[in-house]
Amino acid sequence: MGAQIEAEEAGDTGARRAARRDEAVRAAVEQGLLGPDSPIVGLLDVTGIRESAAELRAAFEAVVAPGTPVLHAFAVKATPLVPVLRLLREEGLGAEVASPGELALARAAGMPPEMTVLDSPAKTPDELREALSLGIAVNADNPQELARLDALVRAQDSRSPLGIRVNPQVGGGSIEALSTATATSKFGVALRDEGAREWVVQAYLDRPWLTRLHAHTGSQGIPLALMARGVAETYALAEEINRRTGRRQVDTLDIGGGLPVNFASDATSPTYARYARLLAEEVPGLLDGRYGLVTEFGRSLLAKHGTVVARVEYAKASGGRAVAVTHAGVQVAARTVYAPGSWPLRIAAYDAKGRPKEGPTVVQDVAGPACFAGDLLAEGRSMPLLEQGDYAAALDTGAYYFAHHYGYNSLVRPGVYGFGPGGRFAVVRRAQTVGEVVAESGGAQVDALTQARWEVP
Ligand SMILES: *Cc1c(COP(=O)(O)O)cnc(C)c1O
């Protein structure tokens, strides 16, 4: 497909997505999911999620040799919601997990162990033992973790495919906090450090059960070319290991996730197809059928299919600036509020009936409900004036936003609803109640500090 046709298709997909979103906001207001007593919700576009999953599968199918095993393990941290994981499982995806909680979510969604990968940088012996007894793939982050695996592999039979995570140290992107392949990143074995490459090769020579190699070169802010270089370095290392062991010991490469998301418009860009083609150009040997593949995309699968919609409780002016005080702020958009330069979000304005707002644009702030001055979803943004009773929608928030609640001011977690064709909704996660907030905040231990005996247990 030509680049231009592809761009147009991505634009069309984006326009259809925007139309579905508008329909969902209107239906949410009409049906009372959103209103004076329910001033914030998260909405998930089920059609869009299915489309992205299908695009991911098709992109890699188009470039790998026929019969190549490919597992797309969704990075659960991007959207840790059980019904979402179940939907992705139905779309043929697996799960990449990085904590006991994420593993439990994947299992609750019915993810089969052979489609689950465990990657966290701080796995305890118990977590490793559980993963091995379930048969889940594990990538060891460092030599100390590999030593733990040595002991477990001796002690228990396991079907778990095991590998080592390396950091190809190809450099960072525009967001330091999400750049995993810098010289001093905390992740994996830093390949270019003195002696490290030889240590990795020797680790495989000593352990015939190490059959995978893993790298994740970073997330949002990493240019595609840098991602491809990280994959190329990892592939070169796998080839070296297999030459030195004299057999195809490394049979699967886990190339991580990290496809950046376009937060500036409705277009999907870059596409999975473009990344897969780039890999085919830069690392053809990776796709020729000698290696199985694992990918771990998160943000790119979900971000554009989620919307936070919040009611404008008050519209005011301050120092000549229009300020819409809404119910969406730091609790659902921590990254944007604390690092607005790195994480700007588009805000769409809807009227009190949930219809897109038109009219002259006004420079305004879109503020959240939390009690600190910086709790702003957008600052100095030109858009149709938000008035009391209107709705502000934070777009592209399906990953790392409303599923990443931040408990500031004890604000409740909003309900999350999936929407399908015809303005119908399904509860993905019901809203947290104030009673639950009290219970989770030590409500049952009310006398713990006043009646404590301070005895050594
Ligand atoms: C976060 C993470 C991912 C997913 O990254 P996205 O940018 O959401 O695609 C994949 N693999 C690992 C190891 C990660 O830590």
Side-chain angles (χ1 to χ4, degrees):
M1 200 174 0
Q4 189 182 344
I5 300 176
E6 196 172 283
E8 280 165 14
E9 284 210 354
D12 284 355
T13 310
R16 282 196 299 272
R17 187 160 53 225
R20 287 196 300 271
R21 183 173 65 224
D22 287 349
E23 189 193 339
V25 172
R26 200 178 50 241
V29 173
E30 274 169 16
Q31 295 173 34
L33 288 186
L34 264 172
D37 300 323
S38 173
I40 174 170
V41 293
L43 299 178
L44 281 169
D45 175 2
V46 173
T47 308
I49 297 170
R50 286 194 193 275
E51 276 176 9
S52 285
E55 281 164 21
L56 173 59
R57 289 195 319 263
F60 280 81
E61 272 161 24
V63 298
V64 297
T68 304
V70 181
L71 170 66
H72 296 295
F74 172 65
V76 170
K77 78 167 179 278
T79 310
L81 295 168
V82 173
V84 169
L85 302 180
R86 172 63 75 119
L87 175 67
L88 292 174
R89 167 171 153 47
E90 201 181 282
E91 285 294 326
L93 273 60
E96 186 262 358
V97 299
S99 72
E102 288 182 2
L103 174 55
L105 296 181
R107 296 186 72 194
M111 279 291 177
E114 63 275 15
M115 294 176 76
T116 306
V117 180
L118 174 65
D119 273 345
S120 76
K123 311 174 195 83
T124 64
D126 267 355
E127 282 178 73
L128 291 167
R129 193 173 305 114
E130 185 188 13
L132 264 62
S133 61
L134 291 169
I136 285 165
V138 177
N139 293 307
D141 180 84
N142 59 65
Q144 293 178 350
E145 189 172 311
L146 191 59
R148 287 181 173 174
L149 284 181
D150 281 338
L152 290 173
V153 165
R154 273 195 301 273
Q156 70 189 91
D157 262 348
S158 171
R159 287 171 290 116
S160 291
L162 302 173
I164 294 180
R165 176 170 183 173
V166 295
N167 167 12
Q169 288 169 301
V170 290
S174 60
I175 304 176
E176 182 68 24
L178 268 68
S179 297
T180 48
T182 57
T184 56
S185 159
K186 73 173 180 182
F187 293 109
V189 177
L191 263 194
R192 294 182 189 180
D193 285 10
E194 199 176 339
R197 192 180 184 91
E198 189 52 34
W199 179 86
V200 173
V201 174
Q202 193 60 46
Y204 281 79
L205 283 163
D206 293 343
R207 296 171 185 80
W209 42 266
L210 279 176
T211 56
R212 288 196 173 181
L213 193 60
H214 173 225
H216 166 66
T217 20
S219 294
Q220 190 70 17
I222 306 287
L224 278 198
L226 197 65
M227 289 174 61
R229 258 186 53 214
V231 174
E233 300 267 343
T234 311
Y235 166 74
L237 177 60
E239 291 282 278
E240 182 179 341
I241 291 167
N242 287 346
R243 252 195 323 273
R244 297 272 297 277
T245 59
R247 64 194 187 93
R248 305 222 59 79
Q249 179 171 330
V250 176
D251 60 21
T252 300
L253 261 76
D254 181 336
I255 63 171
L259 194 77
V261 165
N262 165 31
F263 285 95
S265 78
D266 276 315
T268 305
S269 166
T271 58
Y272 289 120
R274 195 169 131 216
Y275 181 46
R277 272 201 312 275
L278 182 66
L279 291 178
E281 284 159 24
E282 302 288 326
V283 208
L286 171 67
L287 310 171
D288 65 11
R290 291 173 303 138
Y291 291 98
L293 276 187
V294 177
T295 73
E296 304 171 343
F297 295 103
R299 182 177 288 104
S300 53
L301 274 161
L302 259 296
K304 297 205 86 69
H305 309 309
T307 307
V308 174
V309 195
R311 189 171 152 93
V312 178
E313 195 66 49
Y314 301 110
K316 56 200 272 188
S318 178
R321 171 73 57 87
V323 181
V325 180
T326 80
H327 286 274
V330 74
Q331 88 276 31
V332 287
R335 277 189 169 150
T336 295
V337 168
Y338 287 130
S342 293
W343 299 101
L345 285 174
R346 291 184 295 147
I347 307 293
Y350 295 91
D351 68 15
K353 295 197 156 147
R355 296 170 304 201
K357 260 201 130 167
E358 322 237 311
T361 61
V362 175
V363 174
Q364 56 199 299
D365 289 355
V366 183
C371 296
F372 66 103
D375 186 32
L376 301 173
L377 282 186
E379 193 174 3
R381 190 70 60 86
S382 287
M383 54 190 283
L385 184 67
L386 284 166
E387 297 166 285
Q388 186 172 37
D390 287 348
Y391 294 94
L395 310 186
D396 308 323
T397 46
Y400 303 100
Y401 281 97
F402 51 76
H404 292 63
H405 185 83
Y406 174 56
Y408 202 96
N409 275 146
S410 300
L411 290 161
V412 296
R413 284 191 290 267
V416 175
Y417 302 87
F419 60 91
R424 306 293 280 269
F425 293 96
V427 181
V428 171
R429 176 187 77 189
R430 56 174 188 73
Q432 190 181 32
T433 65
V434 167
E436 285 165 343
V437 171
V438 173
E440 288 171 26
S441 305
Q445 284 77 246
V446 57
D447 291 323
L449 301 179
T450 46
Q451 315 225 329
R453 303 252 174 269
W454 308 115
E455 282 157 5
V456 179

